[in-house]
Amino acid sequence: MPYLTKALIILLCLLVTGECRRHRVRRWTGTVETQKHGTSLTKKPPDVTKSRKPKTENLLQVDDHDFTMRPAFGGPAIPVGVDVQVESLDSISEVDMDFTMTLYLRHYWKDERLSFTSSTNKSMTFDGRLVKKIWVPDVFFVHSKRSFIHDTTTDNIMLRVFPDGHVLYSLRVTVTAACNMDFSRFPLDSQTCSLELESYAYTDEDLMLYWKSGDESLSTDDRISLSQFLIQKFHTTSRLAFYSSTGWYNRLYINFTLRRHIFFFLLQTYFPATLMVMLSWVSFWIDRRAVPARVSLGITTVLTMSTIITGVNASMPRVSYIKAVDIYLWVSFVFVFLSVLEYAAVNYLSTAQDRRERKMRERARSQSLPCTCGISGTRTMTMLDGTYSEADTNSLAGYTEEPMVPEEEQEEMHEVPEKPEHMVVHLSVSSESTTTKKKKSLRALNIIQNTHAIDKYSRMIFPGSYIFFNLIYWSVYC
């Protein structure tokens, strides 16, 4: 009996416990249902990413095809359209003869192996990870020195696939390519450079590379500018390139023309050179006897012109032909150098003329009639003009004659007080014709006394010749 009572009590406890648990579950479920039937703002959209869908590779059937081969292999050449958007023209190097350009390169082709079914007919866009699993054109830049695809923050590659199999493949590239420049007219030149695109492996029988929209396939940013060049024109061309060992290839060209700004070189090269030439002409107005002034001025201008020529050539490639700036600088250097030679000629001729004048004076003294007059004084007067006749000379017969005393001895005589003071008058006895000749020679000596005749002519010849050279130079190169 006691055992039966215990069993009934335990059974009753179990029943009570079960009812309590059932009641709690009902209360929790009711709360959730109340939240679900509440306002629509608290309703969460379904998470699509958690739904099971086929992978991209399965949707595009990447694993079902061999993408190591081009589309329509064995058939006609696959057409690949190209368009380019130039983002920036970074630099032009005359020394290395190259340019650097950043651009968006886009390819368009159709690959039926990538077609897929779509109810909305919308394309699918992928990044660079899918590019390694499908076929893409192997376009490269001919004559490129360096190039790279930007990878910040990820590889700048986009792949867009349409349901019918059309593909858009876009990438952002910076390329440094060679440009054959002609500096014969530098810095008054214009340069035409080209960026060339070509398939590396596929000839024109396998891949037909073409501009997708003709000249409109190339677009540029209006803000593109360079410090030394004015971008005049961008245009596209295409032609076939032949390699003897592999065959014919389609090649696309991005051509652009650059005209150099001349104002920088006018300030840095032409104006300083012109000023140095004009400065060398100042020596023509300096007295020929001021040797230090004229020599230092000539040497300074020559050294300055040498510095200008060296600075210009340091920023240029070592070409074997003459540039336009070389012609101007070297002609200016010749003008400066000739001004130095001009003073050397003036100095030499002046020295020679002084020697001849001294000899003529000594010869005139040796042929004159000296006489000492009883006139007190401390000065000596010498007459060399030869204007006295024989009658004038005979009128001085009462004076005591003494030999002619040189000027140096006369100065010593002035310094010695013991000597009697006297005046020596030298009267030259000559005919009328001799007198006329001496007047003309003395007049010629007076002309050369302060400025040499070469200086007078140089003041007109040098500026006139340099102006004439500038007129010819700028009319030819501008």
Side-chain angles (χ1 to χ4, degrees):
M1 188 68 181
Y3 293 101
L4 181 60
T5 303
K6 291 181 180 180
L8 291 174
I9 293 173
I10 293 173
L11 180 61
L12 182 62
C13 292
L14 292 175
L15 291 174
V16 173
T17 305
E19 287 294 332
C20 292
R21 289 182 178 179
R22 192 178 299 125
H23 182 67
R24 289 180 180 178
V25 172
R26 285 178 183 175
R27 289 181 61 185
W28 182 81
T29 307
T31 304
V32 174
E33 289 178 356
T34 303
Q35 292 179 355
K36 286 185 178 179
H37 291 85
T39 176
S40 60
L41 295 176
T42 60
K43 185 178 180 180
K44 296 182 180 179
D47 191 353
V48 182
T49 59
K50 294 182 179 180
S51 61
R52 293 186 178 182
K53 287 187 177 181
K55 294 182 179 180
T56 302
E57 290 83 355
N58 297 332
L59 181 62
L60 298 178
Q61 300 178 356
V62 174
D63 296 332
D64 297 340
H65 301 281
D66 184 9
F67 283 97
T68 59
M69 304 175 69
R70 69 174 180 87
F73 181 77
I78 175 175
V80 176
V82 175
D83 68 30
V84 172
Q85 180 179 351
V86 179
E87 181 183 7
S88 64
L89 193 57
D90 302 325
S91 63
I92 306 291
S93 176
E94 292 89 354
V95 177
D96 299 328
M97 287 193 179
D98 58 24
F99 64 93
T100 302
M101 178 186 293
T102 301
L103 52 90
Y104 296 97
L105 179 61
R106 304 185 183 96
H107 310 76
Y108 302 86
W109 74 95
K110 184 177 182 181
D111 192 347
E112 295 182 353
R113 296 172 295 184
L114 297 176
S115 60
F116 61 94
T117 57
S118 176
S119 58
T120 59
N121 199 25
K122 292 183 178 180
S123 61
M124 292 190 299
T125 303
F126 307 95
D127 56 15
R129 288 173 289 184
L130 186 61
V131 174
K132 299 178 181 180
K133 299 181 180 180
I134 65 172
W135 181 89
V136 293
D138 59 340
V139 176
F140 78 105
F141 298 100
V142 185
H143 307 307
S144 65
K145 297 181 179 180
R146 296 174 299 275
S147 61
F148 62 92
I149 300 174
H150 290 261
D151 54 0
T152 306
T153 57
T154 59
D155 292 340
N156 297 169
I157 298 175
M158 183 199 72
L159 186 69
R160 183 171 295 169
V161 182
F162 294 86
D164 59 353
H166 282 87
V167 182
L168 166 60
Y169 174 48
S170 176
L171 61 159
R172 183 167 174 255
V173 186
T174 294
V175 57
T176 300
C179 178
N180 295 324
M181 301 182 184
D182 182 15
F183 296 106
S184 58
R185 298 177 63 89
F186 176 87
L188 306 168
D189 57 335
S190 295
Q191 303 294 340
T192 299
C193 300
S194 62
L195 183 63
E196 305 171 12
L197 294 85
E198 182 182 307
S199 173
Y200 189 83
Y202 299 99
T203 63
D204 60 339
E205 297 178 355
D206 293 324
L207 189 146
M208 184 178 67
L209 205 62
Y210 68 98
W211 290 112
K212 187 175 183 296
S213 302
D215 287 337
E216 297 180 357
S217 300
L218 178 63
S219 60
T220 60
D221 193 344
D222 296 335
R223 295 174 297 178
I224 296 177
S225 62
L226 294 171
S227 58
Q228 291 191 24
F229 292 92
L230 173 65
I231 303 176
Q232 290 186 326
K233 185 180 180 182
F234 272 96
H235 65 281
T236 61
T237 55
S238 60
R239 66 187 66 175
L240 288 175
F242 177 74
Y243 297 90
S244 59
S245 57
T246 54
W248 294 89
Y249 294 82
N250 294 110
R251 182 177 295 182
L252 306 180
Y253 295 83
I254 302 173
N255 304 311
F256 55 96
T257 304
L258 305 172
R259 182 171 180 82
R260 196 182 305 274
H261 293 300
I262 185 60
F263 189 70
F264 171 80
F265 295 94
L266 287 177
L267 293 179
Q268 299 295 325
T269 303
Y270 286 96
F271 284 166
T274 304
L275 291 177
M276 287 300 104
V277 175
M278 296 174 64
L279 184 61
S280 67
W281 300 340
V282 176
S283 64
F284 302 150
W285 275 267
I286 300 178
D287 190 0
R288 60 188 177 89
R289 289 168 293 186
V291 178
R294 296 189 66 165
V295 170
S296 61
L297 181 61
I299 294 177
T300 301
T301 53
V302 168
L303 294 179
T304 305
M305 284 301 305
S306 301
T307 304
I308 295 174
I309 294 174
T310 304
V312 171
N313 292 329
S315 61
M316 294 295 299
R318 298 179 180 178
V319 295
S320 58
Y321 50 84
I322 299 177
K323 303 181 290 293
V325 68
D326 293 336
I327 296 176
Y328 193 90
L329 292 180
W330 279 106
V331 170
S332 300
F333 183 84
V334 168
F335 270 90
V336 171
F337 188 72
L338 287 178
S339 67
V340 178
L341 294 182
E342 185 270 348
Y343 177 64
V346 168
N347 191 21
Y348 174 77
L349 295 177
S350 299
T351 305
Q353 187 67 36
D354 292 341
R355 292 176 182 174
R356 287 195 297 269
E357 183 182 353
R358 191 180 302 109
K359 290 181 180 179
M360 291 175 60
R361 189 183 298 112
E362 293 176 355
R363 190 180 299 110
R365 289 173 180 173
S366 63
Q367 294 178 357
S368 61
L369 263 176
C371 65
T372 303
C373 305
I375 302 175
S376 62
T378 59
R379 58 181 180 175
T380 302
M381 180 176 66
T382 305
M383 300 179 184
L384 297 175
D385 55 359
T387 58
Y388 295 90
S389 61
E390 293 183 4
D392 297 330
T393 306
N394 295 331
S395 63
L396 300 175
Y399 295 100
T400 306
E401 295 185 0
E402 289 186 2
M404 183 182 65
V405 182
E407 294 180 359
E408 294 80 1
E409 296 182 4
Q410 291 178 14
E411 294 177 357
E412 295 178 357
M413 291 169 60
H414 288 302
E415 295 176 358
V416 180
E418 289 80 12
K419 286 270 186 176
E421 297 178 352
H422 63 278
M423 179 176 67
V424 179
V425 179
H426 301 280
L427 300 178
S428 175
V429 182
S430 60
S431 61
E432 295 293 336
S433 60
T434 306
T435 303
T436 305
K437 290 181 180 180
K438 288 186 177 181
K439 284 184 178 181
K440 291 182 180 180
S441 61
L442 290 175
R443 190 179 299 112
L445 290 175
N446 290 330
I447 295 175
I448 307 176
Q449 183 177 1
N450 294 324
T451 176
H452 201 275
I454 298 179
D455 280 342
K456 296 179 64 177
Y457 291 125
S458 298
R459 294 171 187 174
M460 297 179 293
I461 294 176
F462 274 72
S465 301
Y466 195 69
I467 292 172
F468 181 71
F469 161 72
N470 275 272
L471 291 176
I472 295 178
Y473 180 87
W474 294 109
S475 62
V476 170
Y477 288 103
C478 287

